[in-house]
Amino acid sequence: MPHALGIDLGSGHLTAAVCRNDRERWTDPEILALEGAAATDFVLHLTDEGGVEVGERVLRHVANRPDRIARRVIDRVGDEIPITLGGRPYPAEALIAAVVGWVVDYAEATEGTPPIRLVVTHPAGWGGHRRATLLGALRETDLPELALLPRPVAAAESYAATERVEIGQDIAVHSLGASRFESAVLRRAAYGFEMRAHADSVETMGGDLFDDLLAEHVLAELGGDVEPMALAKLRVACRTAKERLSTELAVTVPAPARSMRGTVMVNRTDLEELIRPAVEATVATLRRTIQSAKTSTGSLQAVVLVGGSGRIPLVSELVSAAVRVRVTAASEPELSVARGAALAAARVTKPPAPSRALTHRPEPMSPPAVNSTDLMRFDDLPDDQLADIGPPPPRPPVEITPLEPPKRRLLPTLPALPVLGGRSGTTDPDDHLTDLRDDDRAPAPRPRRRPDTEPPRPRSEDEERPRRRRDDDRYDGDRNEWPGPADQDAFDRGRRRGDDRVFNESLSRARRPSRDEDAFDSAVDGEYEVADEPRSGRRHR
């Protein structure tokens, strides 16, 4: 069955949970029992073959092979100094990737199919360097699509699965694990939870510290006469007694061999007196985290207790007295983060489409007759392939529509042009327009007057010189003005008679440049200075 896998890399335990997809619906998260236990000790053992073992089987190698045992590997991720196991250095992220790969293989063997999505948790105080280092090591392993998630966010997802949290409300997380304490304030958004503030402990804080304190108390009761080899067994017995005191008022701790006493009685009051200073320090850190998040009294909905040490009654008592809001803890707080990671993996995973069996078996396709990709080179093809191609298809008919020339048009607002030439009699000024509007025939050529007499005799130079002098004297006045009334009359007479000579002479006089214009052209060419310019000595070129 398709499933999403969430793995919690705790400081002392390794837990995993799966969310299965049943008919396009995600089920509630279920804890995956690793080696038969819901929470496996996060202790690594390097085998002789170079493999990594995790779980209860590692504990039997603690006494005889201590050089191949590693604890709290998650805290060494991103450290430049490697971890030495069996005389060989190993990066911490490489060991974590091997552990995650082992959990994925175990889930595939249990569920029958590999997970389609994987979410791995990490401490809230990690920066970009540690996250990138772990993510790079995980991607080098053959793992499904994965993502990293802070542990407080996963705890908030687990709480929101059972309790209603409105958008804009805040919850606080008090995570007290085996060797690390974390506090965070998260706000519910439309897409999930976002961290507004977080803090973690620098020193060892959690269940391992409580086990050491209880073991010292038992050793004091026994008089301190215990062999070094028996100290490991005594610590395991104190750990079991601590867990039992969460639900019982008093328990007995078996004394090591060769001791004067057989057992030591320990009650809950003794344990609370031993661990109270450490728990009060965690509560103070939680209060500072809430204050730094600037959370109002009404927006903070609850404080969620996660981690194995959250079972201790003293923890919930001190937290309730400090924050004055509802304090809640799951029945198994050490498994809440793994459940939240599985829920987050299922949320971002699209359910796979259900597969359907084929109703018929497809027939194989026959190979094509022509395998060449150059189909335009028919000369290179054999005759049998040309026969398969067949004749070329007929070309479609092409119809060409002749284009009509554009009609010649004149705007009716154009003025009537004067007709020059010897047309005798009275003429209609619109006759030439009528000819141009007619589209069926071309305009008639302009008639010219046939001279009645012989062409005039050319004048000699002596005869032309006085005439030119008289013309120059006649127009020595203001040359900028057009010819006077006499010249205009001569111009009109020549136009009416059709006398080209008179008409051309009158037009040449009107277009003759004046002396001032000649002077201006000379000034532009640089021969004279312009009179309007100041006398600065510059010349125009």
Side-chain angles (χ1 to χ4, degrees):
M1 181 180 297
H3 63 279
L5 177 62
I7 301 176
D8 177 27
L9 302 176
S11 58
H13 293 88
L14 177 66
T15 56
V18 294
C19 284
R20 301 178 179 88
N21 184 265
D22 185 12
R23 298 178 181 179
E24 301 184 2
R25 185 183 64 87
W26 292 103
T27 61
D28 295 335
E30 182 178 343
I31 297 299
L32 185 65
L34 302 175
E35 296 293 335
T40 305
D41 292 335
F42 200 179
V43 183
L44 277 67
H45 172 248
L46 183 65
T47 63
D48 296 335
E49 294 79 10
V52 177
E53 291 182 344
V54 182
E56 297 294 336
R57 68 178 67 181
V58 181
L59 298 179
R60 62 175 177 265
H61 301 291
V62 173
N64 53 2
R65 307 185 68 176
D67 60 331
R68 291 178 174 268
I69 302 298
R71 296 178 181 270
R72 301 179 60 178
V73 183
I74 191 65
D75 296 335
R76 299 286 300 276
V77 173
D79 192 354
E80 297 180 357
I81 302 176
I83 299 176
T84 303
L85 296 177
R88 297 183 60 183
Y90 294 91
E93 54 273 10
L95 297 176
I96 295 295
V99 173
V100 172
W102 173 77
V103 176
V104 171
D105 294 341
Y106 190 88
E108 181 178 355
T110 304
E111 300 295 329
T113 57
I116 58 179
R117 184 75 179 187
L118 173 64
V119 170
V120 180
T121 63
H122 63 85
W126 276 17
H129 171 67
R130 285 188 169 184
R131 293 195 302 269
T133 302
L134 179 59
L135 190 61
L138 293 175
R139 287 178 175 174
E140 291 180 358
T141 313
D142 188 11
L143 297 176
E145 186 178 0
L146 60 93
L148 299 181
L149 190 69
R151 299 185 76 252
V153 177
E157 292 287 350
S158 178
Y159 172 78
T162 57
E163 301 289 340
R164 183 178 180 84
V165 182
E166 300 292 342
I167 296 178
Q169 288 185 338
D170 299 338
I171 62 173
V173 176
H174 182 279
S175 176
L176 188 59
S179 61
R180 185 190 307 112
F181 167 73
E182 294 177 333
S183 63
V185 177
L186 303 99
R187 174 164 295 181
R188 182 64 181 270
Y191 53 87
F193 286 92
E194 58 180 8
M195 282 198 304
R196 297 178 56 83
H198 66 88
D200 52 0
S201 60
V202 179
E203 301 177 354
T204 301
M205 184 70 66
D208 293 344
L209 176 62
F210 300 160
D211 296 343
D212 295 339
L213 295 176
L214 186 58
E216 292 177 0
H217 174 74
V218 173
L219 284 176
E221 294 291 333
L222 295 175
D225 188 11
V226 179
E227 296 181 359
M229 297 298 297
L231 289 178
K233 296 182 179 180
L234 178 61
R235 193 177 185 281
V236 173
C238 292
R239 175 184 177 181
T240 304
K242 179 199 66 176
E243 295 175 353
R244 292 176 57 189
L245 287 174
S246 299
T247 56
E248 301 178 12
L249 295 178
V251 296
T252 57
V253 179
R258 299 180 182 181
S259 60
M260 300 298 298
R261 301 173 57 178
T263 59
V264 177
M265 179 66 67
V266 179
N267 53 41
R268 184 185 296 178
T269 305
D270 298 335
L271 178 63
E272 291 179 352
E273 290 179 357
L274 295 173
I275 66 175
R276 182 178 290 271
V279 175
E280 290 178 348
T282 62
V283 174
T285 304
L286 176 63
R287 293 184 59 181
R288 290 192 298 267
T289 305
I290 296 175
Q291 293 176 359
S292 62
K294 299 180 180 180
T295 303
S296 59
T297 306
S299 62
L300 185 60
Q301 181 181 358
V303 176
V304 182
L305 302 180
V306 297
S309 300
R311 293 174 175 265
I312 301 176
L314 180 63
V315 176
S316 60
E317 177 184 347
L318 296 180
V319 172
S320 301
V323 297
R324 301 293 181 178
V325 295
R326 185 168 66 95
V327 179
T328 179
S331 58
E332 297 174 330
E334 66 275 9
L335 306 177
S336 298
V337 178
R339 289 192 174 98
L343 289 171
R347 174 180 296 181
V348 299
T349 303
K350 184 178 180 180
S355 59
R356 299 178 180 178
L358 295 176
T359 58
H360 66 281
R361 189 173 184 178
E363 298 180 357
M365 299 179 59
S366 59
V370 179
N371 298 324
S372 176
T373 57
D374 192 2
L375 299 180
M376 298 302 296
R377 300 177 59 183
F378 295 104
D379 298 338
D380 300 338
L381 297 178
D383 297 337
D384 55 349
Q385 294 185 3
L386 289 176
D388 294 338
I389 294 177
R395 295 184 60 183
V398 179
E399 297 181 0
I400 302 177
T401 304
L403 299 178
E404 297 181 358
K407 296 182 179 181
R408 302 177 60 183
R409 298 179 181 273
L410 287 178
L411 297 178
T413 56
L414 289 176
L417 298 178
V419 180
L420 303 182
R423 296 189 66 179
S424 60
T426 305
T427 59
D428 187 359
D430 294 335
D431 288 343
H432 62 287
L433 295 180
T434 305
D435 297 338
L436 293 177
R437 293 192 188 100
D438 191 2
D439 298 333
D440 298 333
R441 56 189 179 87
R446 178 182 301 175
R448 299 184 60 86
R449 185 179 65 86
R450 187 174 183 177
D452 299 334
T453 60
E454 294 295 331
R457 181 180 56 85
R459 296 174 179 269
S460 62
E461 185 178 356
D462 296 337
E463 293 175 349
E464 286 291 341
R465 185 177 303 163
R467 182 178 180 85
R468 294 175 184 171
R469 184 166 52 252
R470 287 195 303 269
D471 293 340
D472 295 340
D473 296 339
R474 184 177 181 180
Y475 292 97
D476 279 345
D478 190 2
R479 291 284 183 160
N480 293 330
E481 297 292 339
W482 285 93
D487 297 302
Q488 185 65 34
D489 296 338
F491 180 86
D492 295 337
R493 288 193 305 270
R495 184 184 63 178
R496 288 193 297 269
R497 294 196 311 266
D499 192 353
D500 296 340
R501 182 179 58 82
V502 178
F503 172 76
N504 292 335
E505 289 180 358
S506 302
L507 187 60
S508 61
R509 296 191 193 98
R511 293 180 178 177
R512 184 178 302 171
S514 62
R515 295 179 179 178
D516 296 339
E517 292 177 352
D518 296 338
F520 180 81
D521 296 337
S522 300
V524 173
D525 295 338
E527 297 179 3
Y528 301 95
E529 290 187 0
V530 180
D532 296 340
E533 289 289 332
R535 298 179 179 179
S536 58
R538 294 187 303 172
R539 293 181 179 272
H540 294 273
R541 296 290 180 185

